[in-house]
Amino acid sequence: MAPNDDPTKTKRLYQVWKGSNRFFFAGRLIFGPDVASLFLSTFLIAAPAIAFCIRMYIKIKHENTNVGRDYSILILGALLSVLDLVFLFCTSGRDPGILPRNSKPPESDEAFEETTPSMEWVNGRTPHLKLPRTKDVMVNGHTVKVKYCDTCLLYRPPRASHCSICNNCVQRFDHHCPWVGQCIGIRNYRFFFMFISTATILCLHVFVCSWINLLEKEADSDGNLWKAMSHDVLSVILIVYCFVVVWFVGGLTVFHFYLICTNQTTYENFRYRYDKKENPYNKGTRRNFHEMFFSKMPPSLNNFRSFVEESEHIIIGSMTPSFAEGEISSKEKIDIEMGNRLAEETGYSLPEILRNLDFDDLEDEMMVKIEGERPMDSLFMEGHDVKQSVEISIPGDDGKVRTDDSAAFQNGVGEFMESQTARNETDTSEQARM
């Protein structure tokens, strides 16, 4: 086989990508795993928009109305519909800011030799490599913790998080939107906001103009509204539809407008991240808007069409238990963040209900400080100071059996059993002499 025929040399990055993304047009477009929802969203926008344009065209051709005004309404509705669909596809079909994965953990010079409660085994193939679970970095004079991602084998930059649906770490992760079938991150957030705000304006436009059409039909029906509604059923349907949808997209637009003003993400807001401490990213409303809409779009960190060796991009997604002297190390862990399974020989798997949960902040939320008690992690770390308790059944002189499960009793078990055996032998020999 010729060197250029080696299949590992002809793979493109998108073909060996370990995330859950869907690629189209040879890696030029990247979608989330739930890309099918994009068709539903497109239908929910295009169907009423086309119906509205048809209604306006019929009105222009067959009804004696203000033709210039109706043409303006028709053109504006069509432009808003096309613009909204463009923003939808720009949000859904581009890289949201995916961080490149590492094929191995960070270099050993970043590891520490001492053992601390915040360290865990990070790779079954490198059992002596230990890394801190978190690191402190400075952001605008504030200390921010960044966490280690067991799936991508990297320390996430500030505001980055791992999406459990797309299986990627995303820069400035906002949320995963099922309506666009994609993560919302640093590279598509502005398109997402323009999508929902344009959808809100489109709903209001169709709602108001449909009411105008209905009221004009009422005037032609001698002031009978019910008669006008029976003759213009399409306008009634559009009014009801837009009234329902505008509460959803309008509320979403107002909420994200607030997030932009305060420079927050949905992920941070839902976790009350800045309720009790200052937001280090807030630069004021004007500068926050400038950063969101007028700053340069950061380039993608991945060239999904580049040729790579497949072996270099095999990412270790779960931990394979290593057995030493018949015991499993307490430092080995499941990759809970993505619900990866343990090795097939163990036969254990993560429950289905836990696979879509986000454990990014679980450590911070579940730590309970009890005064006077030692942290549980330190007890597990100092395994040589922990003594097992044993439960021993001891026959008493009164014929009753008592148990002792104290840890101190363990050291004298051997001596006690020897003395009991000698005593029984003595009693047996005395009975034989008699």
Side-chain angles (χ1 to χ4, degrees):
M1 180 181 294
N4 55 0
D5 293 335
D6 187 353
T8 61
K9 301 295 184 180
T10 59
K11 293 284 187 180
R12 294 187 183 269
L13 178 59
Y14 78 90
Q15 294 175 316
V16 298
W17 187 253
K18 298 301 179 181
S20 303
N21 303 91
R22 303 281 298 276
F23 295 89
F24 296 92
F25 298 103
R28 292 179 176 85
L29 296 179
I30 173 174
F31 296 89
D34 47 352
V35 63
S37 61
L38 180 62
F39 296 99
L40 176 60
S41 300
T42 302
F43 175 79
L44 293 176
I45 296 171
I50 293 174
F52 174 75
C53 291
I54 292 175
R55 174 66 184 88
M56 294 305 302
Y57 181 79
I58 294 175
K59 181 180 179 181
I60 293 172
K61 291 297 182 180
H62 301 285
E63 299 179 13
N64 296 324
T65 58
N66 190 334
V67 177
R69 183 200 64 182
D70 291 341
Y71 264 120
S72 300
I73 293 174
L74 172 61
I75 294 173
L76 181 58
L79 288 177
L80 287 174
S81 303
V82 173
L83 196 61
D84 198 31
L85 291 174
V86 169
F87 287 136
L88 171 61
F89 285 99
C90 286
T91 304
S92 182
R94 67 187 293 115
D95 176 7
I98 298 174
L99 292 170
R101 297 186 175 209
N102 288 334
S103 58
K104 58 183 179 180
E107 296 297 330
S108 58
D109 57 359
E110 298 183 23
F112 297 87
E113 294 297 332
E114 66 270 14
T115 302
T116 66
S118 64
M119 293 184 181
E120 297 189 17
W121 304 105
V122 298
N123 197 319
R125 298 184 180 181
T126 56
H128 300 293
L129 179 61
K130 301 173 187 177
L131 293 174
R133 301 300 301 167
T134 61
K135 282 185 176 182
D136 293 335
V137 297
M138 297 299 296
V139 176
N140 298 326
H142 297 78
T143 302
V144 177
K145 287 186 180 295
V146 296
K147 296 186 178 182
Y148 182 81
C149 178
D150 299 286
T151 304
C152 300
L153 302 181
L154 52 82
Y155 283 98
R156 303 168 188 155
R159 312 192 88 177
S161 184
H162 194 97
C163 176
S164 60
I165 299 176
C166 292
N167 194 11
N168 295 311
C169 280
V170 179
Q171 292 176 291
R172 200 186 181 277
F173 177 78
D174 190 86
H175 69 288
H176 182 94
C177 181
W179 295 100
V180 303
Q182 180 66 284
C183 288
I184 308 301
I186 191 172
R187 298 191 70 248
N188 63 350
Y189 183 83
R190 66 180 63 174
F191 295 110
F192 172 76
F193 180 79
M194 296 304 296
F195 160 65
I196 58 176
S197 59
T198 305
T200 302
I201 296 173
L202 178 61
C203 281
L204 294 175
H205 176 74
V206 174
F207 180 81
V208 172
C209 293
S210 296
W211 263 115
I212 293 175
N213 294 338
L214 197 60
L215 293 177
E216 290 179 350
K217 181 69 70 173
E218 179 189 10
D220 296 337
S221 301
D222 301 327
N224 191 334
L225 181 61
W226 291 107
K227 184 178 179 180
M229 293 173 63
S230 63
H231 286 84
D232 196 357
V233 179
L234 182 57
S235 293
V236 175
I237 295 175
L238 290 174
I239 289 172
V240 174
Y241 179 83
C242 292
F243 178 80
V244 174
V245 174
V246 75
W247 290 103
F248 173 72
V249 294
L252 204 58
T253 302
V254 172
F255 173 69
H256 281 277
F257 181 81
Y258 161 75
L259 293 181
I260 294 174
C261 291
T262 56
N263 206 331
Q264 296 185 64
T265 65
T266 303
Y267 184 85
E268 294 166 346
N269 182 266
F270 278 21
R271 283 159 178 74
Y272 308 100
R273 187 70 59 87
Y274 305 124
D275 281 6
K276 296 182 180 179
K277 61 181 180 180
E278 185 179 355
N279 182 359
Y281 308 101
N282 190 358
K283 304 174 183 178
T285 303
R286 184 181 64 83
R287 295 181 63 186
N288 290 339
F289 264 92
H290 184 273
E291 177 184 331
M292 179 55 59
F293 296 106
F294 302 103
S295 61
K296 184 179 179 180
M297 180 77 69
S300 175
L301 300 179
N302 300 281
N303 182 8
F304 293 106
R305 288 178 49 77
S306 62
F307 290 97
V308 296
E309 293 187 13
E310 186 176 7
S311 59
E312 294 180 356
H313 292 269
I314 298 177
I315 310 300
I316 300 173
S318 60
M319 310 304 298
T320 302
S322 59
F323 295 89
E325 298 180 0
E327 296 181 355
I328 302 177
S329 172
S330 63
K331 291 299 177 183
E332 293 172 344
K333 60 191 289 285
I334 303 172
D335 183 6
I336 294 181
E337 191 167 31
M338 287 311 307
N340 290 327
R341 297 179 181 275
L342 288 172
E344 294 181 358
E345 60 267 24
T346 62
Y348 296 101
S349 62
L350 193 67
E352 181 73 22
I353 193 173
L354 297 180
R355 295 180 186 175
N356 289 329
L357 294 181
D358 191 348
F359 290 85
D360 190 47
D361 290 333
L362 190 58
E363 297 177 7
D364 299 334
E365 297 176 359
M366 296 303 296
M367 289 181 61
V368 180
K369 296 181 180 179
I370 304 177
E371 184 176 347
E373 294 187 2
R374 297 176 61 192
M376 293 299 297
D377 286 340
S378 63
L379 294 178
F380 287 108
M381 297 302 300
E382 301 174 2
H384 56 277
D385 294 334
V386 180
K387 296 185 179 297
Q388 284 185 325
S389 64
V390 295
E391 184 175 301
I392 304 296
S393 298
I394 307 174
D397 296 336
D398 54 357
K400 297 182 179 180
V401 178
R402 65 185 180 89
T403 60
D404 194 322
D405 59 351
S406 64
F409 190 78
Q410 182 182 8
N411 297 329
V413 171
E415 297 178 1
F416 172 78
M417 296 303 295
E418 292 178 359
S419 62
Q420 285 292 106
T421 302
R423 180 179 177 182
N424 292 338
E425 292 178 352
T426 302
D427 294 342
T428 302
S429 60
E430 290 179 355
Q431 290 177 1
R433 294 175 182 177
M434 294 175 60

